[in-house]
Amino acid sequence: MKLAYWMYAGPAHIGTLRIASSFKNVHAIMHAPLGDDYFVMRSMLERDRDFTPVTASIVDRHVLARGSQEKVINNITRKDKEENPDLIILTPTCTSSILQEDLSNFVKRASLESKADIILADVNHYRVNELQASDRTLEQIISFYLEKASRDHSLKIQKSLNPSVNIIGITSLGFHHHHDLVELKRLFQDLNIEINHILPNNTSVNQLQSLPQAWFNFVPYRETGLLAAELLKKEFNMPFIDITPIGLTQIEFFVKKIQQILADNDIIRDYTMYLNTQRKYVSQSAWFSRSIDCQNLIGKTAVVFGDATHAAAITKILHQEMNIHVIWSGTYCIHDSLWFKQATEKYCDQVILTDDHEFIGNLIAKTEPNAIFGTQMERHIGKRLNIPCGVISSPVHIQNFPLSYKPFVGYEGTNQIADLIYNSFTLGMEDHLLELFGGHDTIDNKTYGSSIKSQDEKQVLWSLEAKQELSRIPRFIRGKVKKNTEQFAQANNYSKIDLKVMYEAKEKISG
Amino acid sequence: MTLSTDLSFTFECETGNYHTFCPISCVAWLYQKIEDSFFLVIGTKTCGYFLQNAMGVMIFAEPRYAMAELEEGDISAQLNDYNELRRLCIQIKKDRKPSVIFWIGTCTTEIIKMDLEGIAPKLEADIDIPIVVARANGLDYAFTQGEDTVLAAMSQRCPHKNLSLNTDNTHQPLIIFGSLPESVTKQLTLELLKYNITVSGWLPSAKYTELPVIREGYHVIGVNPFLSRTATTLMRRRKTKLIGAPFPIGPDGTRAWIEKICSVFNIIPLGLKEREQEIWNNLQDYTKLIQGKSVFFMGDNLLEISLARFLIRCGMIVHEIGIPYMDKRYQGAELILLQKTCEDMKVRIPKIVEKPDNYNQLERIRDLQPDLVITGMAHANPLEARGINTKWSVEFTFASIHGFTNARDILELVTRPLRRTVNLQASENSIFSQTY
């Protein structure tokens, strides 16, 4: 048993559901107790206009006693008829996995009766987390459809005429994934490379047989897609790129790697001119680093924490591109420690591998950086310690699904990140200066004082109990409640406000 | 308490495929209510993930709650439950110094048959801190029923003996059960005092150390419709007398609730009718907005019958009352008031659908096109995108909705989507008033 207050990565089934619900026309059925279908928050976080294609086959007391029997099968065949999905993924949860029901048998029997393909998500709830499970599920679906296609000879292995790529790992509830995707499309268009498929994002599983047509695969985020890319490499000898094009330096590595893959296929392209133009004119961040603004950032310290992809990328940018001293850089993707260590150790004093937020909180307090780049949790730690924080990675909040265009990858991404970094530091500076010069000079201004002096100086008293009650009202409306209650008391000639007067005022003042 | 046989309700029971919060969510409001408590949820990452997301920003306020996250060794019994729990509870005791630790059992502890009730008394004696066990799991319960399991367990801990006897009561002692914000308990206490009724105590109290004395023969009354187990425990185990009444939600419910208490104590509630009328008069600007409009409850928190009854009194037409679980005995008086309200307002009694099936409900919503759907967040945005006004049901469990004083707050919630739509239409800009 482990005492836990907060987790950076969710349970395994969330990963499976993120993959399933990102494909087009794929339905997930969770074998789960009531309330475990909390994944439906997708419609809130992503403000999705469609119903999330996830339902539950409820495990209740009866199931516990007798087993699911026909229930799971009925739920699968019912969903098959109602929604006509191409694929149904039966998703075990931590609860159902210890019941040790023969779910694969249910899948077998249900597939006899349904038009949809049916598979059982193969993830161990006590060994893998959300990210590892998403990686595995994506591989599982791809492998299922490639085998199917190979059986009925519909596999398309002929390479496309022009160079083309599969982008693997764009999922729902991914950190800025959909903005990144727009930027990636633009980048590949500029490089004159066609996009064969984007997985799993809104792609139909019936298109998967043409995955091998692409010249190479690209995995933008390490957390999801590497297993699939390795599978495709093994089966079809497709090379893949796992360099994340976040930051100018990484973009150049990424593009050079493409250039090399093309050269291996006897296509000689030189992207040097393109890179120069983009760096000079599209991205402002190289110039920004030279501008005198950025001189102020020299010697400033930062700490970085997040998933492996984003934490590593931001660490490199801070160190290489903005000359900021990174005291430590860390990730909660402990399963990917080796890669993370190699990727970041040159760019920071210390590499941290942990999924314990309290450890991170203490470390931040101890190292006292000028700015934090982390997840929502680090943002709150920063609030507590009065250190500014830029959010660079999941876990996500609704505010991490901005309406405006905010990619992290590509050239526009470099602009966004430069703003994010610069704003985090200047805000900290501004606060510091304000404090140094005695704060906002308006703080004692009359508007903050008592609200009733304007009324003919007749003072209204508050009883002790009423005062306590007032203090329980949330701060942002307390002033209004105080003012309204006092006006109400005066209008009714009450000399003292006690609880009764307070409640009476609440009942009688409308709006 | 018997349910009269002439009730003309249609009760249906569907498949139980519906969205609701897991009952462990009750820790979110109970740890705030019981100030000296600590809630330990013994479960898996799934439970933790749910709480972390459902509690929103509260999770950053160092809540007095934590997961005892079960690992593979716990599931396969390689680790000893007692020793593991002992280690965690000693740490909690040291770091947070609570007066009580609540253990919330989950689906996983049920399935692996972890004997929490057996371990707790031993560990309690061992480390000298009260440990209260509540099985608030998703195998058996929905959302607010979590509070019911906790209060049922707590009612066993209420002291039997008075230290100081207060003799100025003119009636038998009265205990009210149900967790409400402190200000709402004060409002209801003051309200009853107007009719010379003294509340001897609340279950739960603001502090665990201040749990009320409960003795045989005391009267008890509930404030919320989801407290059946607590009511049963108070009656059977603590030998109290349950006052079966509608719940004090809406001015009509509040009056009926007070009236019932008064009738049990042979008190004539002078001025109560006028008081109710006064509140209604103050609600007119809101009731005007919803009169004749229709509403559909998908059902997820058990407040549905009381809210539907209040909204019918406000002049709304209720298409369907979805509800996770319907205790016809505990909610008997509320059902009778619902029927009477329908008769008074000359509308048909809505169909009550227990364990609803969300898919079927969405089909019915498509056919009926109600003016308002009260639903969970799984469906809210997709329904809005289809041009249907929604109100997120969870807000009713967190807002103050009890008593005369808060009637306006219920309507504030109910009318908000309608006001929004009216405002958008009034903007004369077709961009904002279309479906999407």
Side-chain angles (χ1 to χ4, degrees):
Chain A
M1 264 179 230
K2 194 170 84 179
L3 209 52
Y5 298 87
W6 166 267
M7 59 183 123
Y8 286 102
H13 69 268
I14 298 291
T16 297
L17 297 180
R18 281 178 58 189
I19 297 297
S21 65
S22 303
F23 275 110
K24 198 197 288 179
N25 210 24
V26 171
H27 200 99
I29 295 185
M30 301 170 67
H31 189 237
L34 199 63
D36 269 5
D37 54 0
Y38 196 68
F39 180 71
V40 294
M41 69 171 180
R42 191 182 93 151
S43 69
M44 186 162 160
L45 288 175
E46 291 199 326
R47 303 179 193 89
D48 204 329
R49 296 169 203 216
D50 279 316
F51 295 100
T52 308
V54 173
T55 41
S57 177
I58 304 286
V59 175
D60 57 13
R61 200 42 79 172
H62 300 293
V63 170
L64 221 53
R66 306 175 303 140
S68 294
Q69 298 186 340
E70 301 299 310
K71 199 173 180 181
V72 175
I73 298 168
N74 290 344
N75 277 319
I76 294 175
T77 47
R78 178 186 161 184
K79 208 33 79 182
D80 182 52
K81 289 200 188 76
E82 282 169 358
E83 310 265 357
N84 269 314
D86 298 321
L87 169 68
I88 293 176
I89 301 182
L90 184 59
T91 311
T93 56
C94 55
T95 309
S96 81
S97 67
I98 45 175
L99 283 176
Q100 303 202 317
E101 285 199 83
D102 190 359
L103 293 180
S104 59
N105 182 37
F106 293 156
V107 164
K108 228 176 272 162
R109 283 170 55 203
S111 25
L112 297 175
E113 289 175 50
S114 8
K115 275 194 273 174
D117 296 313
I118 301 161
I119 60 180
L120 174 66
D122 169 34
V123 287
N124 182 325
H125 280 264
Y126 294 91
R127 295 197 184 158
V128 297
N129 66 21
E130 168 188 355
L131 302 170
Q132 293 161 289
S134 68
D135 202 14
R136 169 68 188 129
T137 305
L138 184 56
E139 180 204 26
Q140 200 190 349
I141 294 174
I142 290 173
S143 149
F144 178 87
Y145 279 97
L146 290 177
E147 270 171 40
K148 193 181 171 198
S150 130
R151 269 200 311 277
D152 59 20
H153 307 289
S154 59
L155 207 58
K156 293 181 184 151
I157 44 173
Q158 184 85 47
K159 293 288 169 213
S160 62
L161 209 57
N162 297 319
S164 61
V165 60
N166 296 318
I167 303 175
I168 304 178
I170 307 287
T171 66
S172 70
L173 292 177
F175 186 76
H176 293 244
H177 277 201
H178 290 103
H179 302 278
D180 283 354
L181 180 59
V182 176
E183 192 62 19
L184 288 173
K185 282 181 180 167
R186 180 194 294 177
L187 192 55
F188 280 116
Q189 193 182 18
D190 287 353
L191 300 173
N192 194 15
I193 287 169
E194 285 171 8
I195 293 172
N196 187 41
H197 289 305
I198 301 160
L199 297 182
N201 177 65
N202 212 19
T203 300
S204 159
V205 287
N206 295 324
Q207 296 171 299
L208 296 180
Q209 78 262 28
S210 58
L211 275 180
Q213 285 186 325
W215 290 31
F216 67 100
N217 293 311
F218 167 50
V219 181
Y221 315 104
R222 294 192 60 74
E223 286 70 27
T224 308
L226 277 180
L227 283 179
E230 271 153 21
L231 173 85
L232 290 165
K233 184 170 183 197
K234 198 175 115 221
E235 297 287 327
F236 303 100
N237 202 22
M238 294 172 78
F240 67 86
I241 300 177
D242 59 354
I243 300 166
T244 307
I246 295 182
L248 288 172
T249 324
Q250 290 300 108
I251 296 174
E252 301 216 1
F253 282 143
F254 166 77
V255 172
K256 295 243 167 79
K257 186 79 199 254
I258 294 175
Q259 204 172 296
Q260 186 204 318
I261 287 176
L262 297 183
D264 294 344
N265 288 284
D266 302 324
I267 302 268
I268 306 302
R269 282 188 194 167
D270 186 359
Y271 290 126
T272 318
M273 273 293 286
Y274 170 76
L275 291 174
N276 287 342
T277 327
Q278 291 287 314
R279 190 175 53 229
K280 264 190 202 148
Y281 302 111
V282 176
S283 171
Q284 301 294 315
S285 76
W287 156 241
F288 182 65
S289 302
R290 285 203 67 85
S291 73
I292 50 163
D293 260 353
C294 261
Q295 284 182 14
N296 292 332
L297 296 183
I298 292 172
K300 289 274 179 296
T301 56
V303 297
V304 184
F305 193 76
D307 63 24
T309 301
H310 289 91
I314 298 296
T315 305
K316 286 177 201 167
I317 293 175
L318 287 169
H319 178 89
Q320 289 181 308
E321 297 176 20
M322 302 192 93
N323 287 312
I324 288 159
H325 177 193
V326 181
I327 308 172
W328 51 266
S329 169
T331 183
Y332 55 83
C333 297
I334 303 171
H335 60 276
D336 206 12
S337 321
L338 201 65
W339 177 86
F340 186 78
K341 221 167 168 252
Q342 283 170 353
T344 53
E345 60 191 352
K346 273 189 288 181
Y347 308 103
C348 59
D349 302 348
Q350 199 190 353
V351 179
I352 304 292
L353 303 159
T354 182
D355 57 0
D356 177 353
H357 80 273
E358 276 179 280
F359 178 81
I360 290 298
N362 291 337
L363 199 59
I364 293 173
K366 211 176 87 189
T367 42
E368 293 182 275
N370 298 117
I372 308 166
F373 298 93
T375 72
Q376 283 293 337
M377 182 41 97
E378 284 67 49
R379 193 170 73 85
H380 283 268
I381 295 169
K383 263 188 178 172
R384 203 167 61 221
L385 300 170
N386 247 329
I387 303 172
C389 177
V391 175
I392 53 131
S393 156
S394 313
V396 282
H397 259 197
I398 194 149
Q399 70 200 65
N400 300 123
F401 292 95
L403 300 178
S404 55
Y405 184 51
K406 287 200 155 55
F408 269 64
V409 305
Y411 286 104
E412 180 53 28
T414 61
N415 293 335
Q416 294 289 342
I417 293 169
D419 275 345
L420 181 75
I421 293 173
Y422 183 71
N423 288 343
S424 301
F425 279 108
T426 45
L427 283 182
M429 193 64 143
E430 194 173 80
D431 274 356
H432 180 68
L433 285 175
L434 269 170
E435 207 168 288
L436 209 65
F437 292 110
H440 285 281
D441 57 358
T442 49
I443 207 137
D444 292 324
N445 199 307
K446 274 220 168 107
T447 52
Y448 290 88
S450 172
S451 49
I452 51 154
K453 275 182 188 145
S454 52
Q455 300 274 339
D456 46 56
E457 294 302 314
K458 210 163 71 181
Q459 198 71 32
V460 191
L461 292 172
W462 286 74
S463 80
L464 194 67
E465 264 188 317
K467 248 189 213 159
Q468 279 172 351
E469 180 80 3
L470 189 68
S471 69
R472 250 185 235 113
I473 292 169
R475 192 172 302 166
F476 63 98
I477 52 162
R478 199 182 296 154
K480 192 180 162 201
V481 171
K482 183 165 185 268
K483 194 173 129 211
N484 285 346
T485 312
E486 281 169 355
Q487 278 172 356
F488 174 83
Q490 280 179 333
N492 290 280
N493 285 322
Y494 292 125
S495 57
K496 191 174 181 186
I497 297 174
D498 57 12
L499 283 182
K500 272 184 207 168
V501 176
M502 262 186 101
Y503 299 148
E504 198 185 331
K506 180 166 195 259
E507 285 161 21
K508 295 203 173 146
I509 301 167
S510 41
Chain B
M1 189 173 60
T2 48
L3 192 64
S4 58
T5 44
D6 59 345
L7 282 179
S8 46
F9 285 107
T10 333
F11 290 106
E12 276 182 24
C13 186
E14 286 191 305
T15 62
N17 279 328
Y18 63 103
H19 294 294
T20 182
F21 272 15
C22 173
I24 60 171
S25 52
C26 68
V27 309
W29 64 87
L30 286 176
Y31 92 75
Q32 292 194 324
K33 170 73 191 181
I34 309 167
E35 293 161 12
D36 53 354
S37 63
F38 190 95
F39 284 80
L40 184 67
V41 182
I42 304 159
T44 61
K45 256 185 181 311
T46 304
C47 313
Y49 184 77
F50 163 70
L51 278 176
Q52 175 172 321
N53 286 290
M55 284 166 75
V57 283
M58 274 153 73
I59 203 79
F60 299 113
E62 300 205 19
R64 290 187 317 282
Y65 111 87
M67 291 295 308
E69 197 183 306
L70 300 168
E71 293 167 297
E72 208 165 7
D74 298 302
I75 304 296
S76 54
Q78 285 166 332
L79 298 165
N80 178 291
D81 298 338
Y82 184 90
N83 293 338
E84 291 297 299
L85 284 166
R86 184 174 191 275
R87 183 170 54 80
L88 301 193
C89 288
I90 286 176
Q91 196 186 332
I92 292 165
K93 196 183 162 194
K94 195 179 107 230
D95 296 348
R96 304 295 192 96
K97 302 182 181 63
S99 312
V100 60
I101 298 176
F102 286 91
W103 285 355
I104 305 295
T106 61
C107 303
T108 310
T109 56
E110 287 296 310
I111 294 171
I112 63 173
K113 297 194 168 43
M114 193 182 280
D115 182 20
L116 297 177
E117 278 95 345
I119 299 173
K122 283 182 216 151
L123 191 58
E124 183 170 318
D126 183 356
I127 66 169
D128 194 29
I129 183 166
I131 296 171
V132 180
V133 181
R135 304 178 176 200
N137 62 69
L139 295 166
D140 300 309
Y141 306 109
F143 194 11
T144 49
Q145 286 179 292
E147 174 181 321
D148 193 23
T149 64
V150 174
L151 297 194
M154 261 174 103
S155 60
Q156 298 280 68
R157 299 297 185 113
C158 292
H160 288 268
K161 275 198 188 117
N162 270 10
L163 289 178
S164 60
L165 283 171
N166 55 337
T167 47
D168 51 344
N169 277 10
T170 54
H171 55 82
Q172 276 284 315
L174 174 72
I175 305 287
I176 303 180
F177 58 95
S179 164
L180 295 177
E182 274 306 283
S183 58
V184 183
T185 64
K186 279 202 195 117
Q187 286 159 10
L188 287 176
T189 307
L190 280 176
E191 204 70 53
L192 287 172
L193 210 54
K194 288 184 183 151
Y195 311 102
N196 291 319
I197 295 164
T198 318
V199 181
S200 303
W202 284 79
L203 175 72
S205 42
K207 288 210 168 96
Y208 179 79
T209 49
E210 291 164 4
L211 277 180
V213 170
I214 299 181
R215 301 174 71 173
E216 189 171 340
Y218 276 25
H219 282 89
V220 294
I221 188 164
V223 285
N224 269 323
F226 44 77
L227 299 171
S228 338
R229 286 173 65 90
T230 311
T232 313
T233 313
L234 286 168
M235 280 192 294
R236 296 202 185 138
R237 307 289 293 268
R238 303 303 301 257
K239 311 268 183 271
T240 58
K241 292 177 196 152
L242 176 70
I243 302 176
F247 300 100
I249 293 169
D252 48 343
T254 308
R255 176 183 144 200
W257 187 73
I258 296 170
E259 255 171 0
K260 190 62 193 284
I261 300 172
C262 287
S263 79
V264 169
F265 295 141
N266 287 319
I267 292 167
I268 296 160
L270 290 171
L272 182 58
K273 274 183 201 164
E274 293 75 12
R275 173 113 175 89
E276 185 199 353
Q277 194 51 50
E278 203 184 342
I279 298 292
W280 281 115
N281 294 344
N282 255 310
L283 297 178
Q284 271 174 8
D285 51 340
Y286 278 164
T287 48
K288 254 189 280 173
L289 274 173
I290 50 173
Q291 248 159 29
K293 297 254 172 27
S294 62
V295 57
F296 189 111
F297 287 87
M298 287 188 78
D300 67 354
N301 60 17
L302 283 93
L303 293 171
E304 292 88 359
I305 303 280
S306 310
L307 287 173
R309 177 260 302 150
F310 168 56
L311 292 182
I312 291 170
R313 179 63 71 184
C314 290
M316 290 190 92
I317 297 147
V318 177
H319 285 307
E320 174 168 331
I321 309 177
I323 186 167
Y325 167 72
M326 181 72 235
D327 185 336
K328 288 175 199 157
R329 286 210 311 168
Y330 177 62
Q331 294 221 44
E334 183 64 84
L335 285 170
I336 293 169
L337 182 59
L338 171 65
Q339 185 188 29
K340 189 177 167 296
T341 305
C342 291
E343 278 163 15
D344 290 353
M345 301 305 288
K346 299 191 174 53
V347 292
R348 246 192 314 168
I349 300 178
K351 184 172 66 170
I352 296 172
V353 181
E354 207 180 344
K355 288 175 170 285
D357 184 295
N358 280 167
Y359 185 86
N360 297 343
Q361 284 185 315
L362 289 172
E363 304 260 278
R364 297 200 283 272
I365 287 169
R366 202 170 302 148
D367 291 343
L368 292 163
Q369 294 286 316
D371 295 306
L372 180 68
V373 174
I374 297 182
T375 181
M377 66 183 170
H379 299 118
N381 267 336
L383 281 171
E384 290 283 353
R386 283 155 186 76
I388 290 186
N389 291 314
T390 60
K391 184 72 224 154
W392 186 27
S393 53
V394 173
E395 289 188 56
F396 291 100
T397 58
F398 287 108
S400 302
I401 61 169
H402 292 76
F404 288 128
T405 316
N406 300 305
R408 201 178 172 82
D409 294 42
I410 309 176
L411 290 185
E412 168 73 27
L413 289 177
V414 171
T415 57
R416 200 175 292 165
L418 302 168
R419 280 179 284 142
R420 184 263 334 256
T421 305
V422 169
N423 287 348
L424 290 182
Q425 275 159 0
S427 80
E428 291 178 11
N429 186 340
S430 61
I431 293 170
F432 296 103
S433 49
Q434 305 279 307
T435 34
Y436 318 93

